[in-house]
Amino acid sequence: MKLKKIHPVLQNNLSQLGFEEPTILQKSTFGRIKSGQDFVLIAPKEEGKTTALIIAALQRAEAPVDDMISTRVLIVVKDKFEVERLMEEFDRIGDKMNIRVYGVHDYTDLDDDKNQMSLGNDILIGTAERLNLMFSGAGFDVNQLKMYIIDDIDQQLRNRHEPRLYRLSESIGKTQRIYFGKDYVEALDMFVDKTMAEDVEWLDFYDEEEED
């Protein structure tokens, strides 16, 4: 897959897996990811959002330094099944990159999760409820955090996860924020206003399809 200044191992992995050409969505988001810009992405499933999310996280995480234990990328997903699905995809696409990816959800062991945090990871994937429990009990070093991603934000807001998502946002402070969704929901406007930078960009691929 040809994207400007993409990590060479990541590029090779994508090609080996059959991702020869990036989708329009993946091209549109990659430069913004590298620049550190906040953005909201609304697009149908078939546009390749999951792959774009994984490319974003792996590109920003980079290889860990020996003494670095802090998370660089935090990804909030809607449920256990999405944690497990993303873990599998990161394992495939991030092969040989030496990126430490860890997943937590409401059915993992909380003590084990906290221990893993102390050992170190580069990308942490979890549900909003479990991440809030972990951060409130053990604290969270945000000094190395480069990116905060919320996936399926439309569904998470519909499921009334706003209080948990707000608490997480307040806990992590200032970092690049990217929200992925399939549909626009009214609650998203207020959530974006309260949690993102003023120059946030909205990318709506339904509008782009209509223009085409």
Side-chain angles (χ1 to χ4, degrees):
M1 182 181 284
K2 295 180 181 179
L3 290 165
K4 190 175 181 179
K5 295 184 179 179
I6 188 173
H7 191 290
V9 177
L10 176 56
Q11 181 180 34
N12 183 66
N13 289 347
L14 289 165
S15 296
Q16 291 292 325
L17 291 168
F19 297 100
E20 294 295 340
E21 294 294 333
T23 65
I24 295 173
L25 180 152
Q26 290 156 5
K27 285 182 180 178
S28 298
T29 58
F30 191 68
R32 293 173 172 87
I33 288 161
K34 291 192 300 177
S35 71
Q37 180 181 2
D38 287 2
F39 64 90
V40 181
L41 176 67
I42 305 296
K45 183 178 180 180
E46 59 271 16
E47 290 291 334
K49 292 200 304 295
T50 297
T51 303
L53 182 157
I54 293 170
I55 291 172
L58 291 172
Q59 181 74 21
R60 291 284 276 157
E62 303 175 346
V65 180
D66 290 342
D67 61 350
M68 184 179 288
I69 64 171
S70 300
T71 302
R72 258 80 57 72
V73 178
L74 178 63
I75 305 173
V76 188
V77 298
K78 61 184 179 180
D79 56 32
K80 165 190 173 182
F81 303 104
E82 281 301 298
V83 172
E84 294 172 344
R85 186 177 76 90
L86 275 188
M87 289 287 290
E88 290 177 1
E89 289 301 299
F90 270 104
D91 187 54
R92 288 196 321 135
I93 297 175
D95 187 39
K96 299 182 179 67
M97 291 187 70
N98 298 318
I99 302 293
R100 302 165 297 179
V101 183
Y102 191 68
V104 300
H105 53 72
D106 304 341
Y107 299 96
T108 54
D109 185 276
L110 184 58
D111 290 333
D112 286 346
D113 293 340
K114 290 179 179 178
N115 289 336
Q116 181 63 34
M117 288 281 289
S118 66
L119 293 174
N121 61 80
D122 304 304
I123 298 173
L124 179 61
I125 307 168
T127 56
E129 183 171 355
R130 175 47 57 95
L131 290 171
N132 269 294
L133 279 173
M134 291 175 63
F135 296 169
S136 63
F140 184 63
D141 181 5
V142 298
N143 293 327
Q144 301 298 329
L145 192 66
K146 295 182 176 182
M147 178 183 285
Y148 174 53
I149 300 174
I150 303 178
D151 195 20
D152 292 315
I153 190 164
D154 50 327
Q155 294 186 46
Q156 297 208 52
L157 292 175
R158 285 194 190 104
N159 292 337
R160 301 185 179 180
H161 290 174
E162 285 163 273
R164 300 184 185 99
L165 294 173
Y166 277 128
R167 283 197 296 271
L168 279 175
S169 184
E170 291 171 358
S171 298
I172 64 174
K174 187 176 181 180
T175 190
Q176 182 182 20
R177 295 159 191 262
I178 302 173
Y179 303 158
F180 289 84
K182 183 180 177 183
D183 301 304
Y184 170 80
V185 292
E186 287 188 9
L188 186 54
D189 282 315
M190 184 177 293
F191 186 81
V192 168
D193 287 344
K194 289 185 176 181
T195 61
M196 280 186 154
E198 291 183 2
D199 60 348
V200 57
E201 186 171 3
W202 289 70
L203 304 176
D204 189 333
F205 278 78
Y206 292 98
D207 287 347
E208 292 192 12
E209 286 178 356
E210 289 173 4
E211 290 172 4
D212 293 343

